[in-house]
Amino acid sequence: EAAVRTVRENGLADNVISVRLGDGLKSLRPGEVDTVCIAGMGGALMVEILEGSPDVVETLDTLILQPQSAAPELRRWIYRKHWHIEDESLVLDDGRIYEIIMAKRGRRKMPEQLMLEIGPVLWQKKPPLLRHHIEALLFQERRVAAGMEKSDAAKKSKKYQAVIRHIKELGEHLSW
C-alpha cells in the first residue's frame, strides 16, 4: 500500500512502475527485468532469494545488493555463480557503514578470502570510507578475540590463532 501510494503521489502511471507483493523474486517472470536491487537484509537471505528463483536470475544482467551482514558470503556466491563484482561503494549513514555491490554476469577469478571481506573493488578504488570499513571489520574480530581470551582453552585453540592472524592481516590493510 505504501509503494502504491508513493507511485501515485509521484504521478507515475502503472505502466511505468508495477508494484507487486511477493516472496523474493517469485513475483517476476524470467526476462521481465534485467536488473534487481535487493537491500536492507543479510547477505545469507539475499543468497536464499536469488537461489529461490534461478529461472529469473539467469535472465538478469545486473544485481545491486546492499547486505546488512554476511557480505563475504554474498560475494563468494556472486563469483561461484558466474557473476563478478563490477563496482562497490561505501555509504556512511547514522554512524554505520553500508556496502553496496553491483554485480554483472560473467566469470572471473574468485578473490582471496580477505578481499571477499573487504571488497575487491573497494580495495582497488580505495574510497575515503575504506579505512572506516576495515576498522569496523577489525572491531568485530577484536571482540571475538577478547571473548576467547577469557578462556585458557580457547586461547590455545587453532581458531584463536586464526582470529589473531586475521586481525593482523586486516591491520596490514589499514595503510596504503
Side-chain angles (χ1 to χ4, degrees):
E1 289 176 10
V4 169
R5 185 173 48 254
T6 300
V7 168
R8 189 175 47 245
E9 288 171 357
N10 286 283
L12 300 169
D14 285 335
N15 61 348
V16 176
I17 296 178
S18 172
V19 177
R20 301 177 195 179
L21 178 62
D23 181 11
L25 303 179
K26 290 182 173 55
S27 64
L28 296 174
R29 293 183 308 275
E32 189 175 15
V33 298
D34 62 8
T35 302
V36 168
C37 177
I38 306 174
M41 60 188 69
L45 182 54
M46 290 180 179
V47 167
E48 283 182 35
I49 288 169
L50 294 164
E51 289 282 331
S53 297
D55 53 334
V56 172
V57 173
E58 70 186 31
T59 66
L60 298 174
D61 297 321
T62 306
L63 300 171
I64 307 294
L65 307 166
Q66 187 276 301
Q68 300 282 353
S69 63
E73 292 80 1
L74 180 60
R75 288 186 180 100
R76 187 174 297 105
W77 180 91
I78 289 168
Y79 285 91
R80 281 189 179 147
K81 294 298 182 171
H82 310 300
W83 291 77
H84 67 277
I85 298 173
E86 182 81 15
D87 200 8
E88 294 181 285
S89 297
L90 296 170
V91 176
L92 181 63
D93 184 45
D94 199 23
R96 179 167 177 191
I97 293 261
Y98 294 93
E99 301 173 69
I100 303 164
I101 300 167
M102 180 177 73
K104 292 282 195 174
R105 191 167 289 292
R107 181 179 277 225
R108 299 289 192 284
K109 183 181 177 202
M110 174 80 69
E112 63 182 68
Q113 176 60 32
L114 190 63
M115 286 300 113
L116 291 173
E117 293 174 50
I118 293 172
V121 176
L122 292 173
W123 182 249
Q124 288 173 349
K125 290 173 34 177
K126 297 191 177 48
L129 290 172
L130 183 60
R131 179 175 305 282
H132 192 287
H133 173 56
I134 294 171
E135 287 171 348
L137 294 172
L138 265 168
F139 178 77
Q140 292 171 353
E141 284 299 293
R142 287 179 177 139
R143 281 182 49 196
V144 170
M148 294 179 85
E149 287 167 359
K150 294 176 183 174
S151 161
D152 287 334
K155 285 196 300 189
K156 294 175 184 171
S157 71
K158 289 181 182 180
K159 180 167 172 63
Y160 178 74
Q161 295 306 316
V163 169
I164 296 303
R165 274 193 309 277
H166 190 233
I167 289 169
K168 184 176 185 257
E169 287 177 335
L170 282 169
E172 289 168 352
H173 283 76
L174 277 174
S175 51
W176 50 85

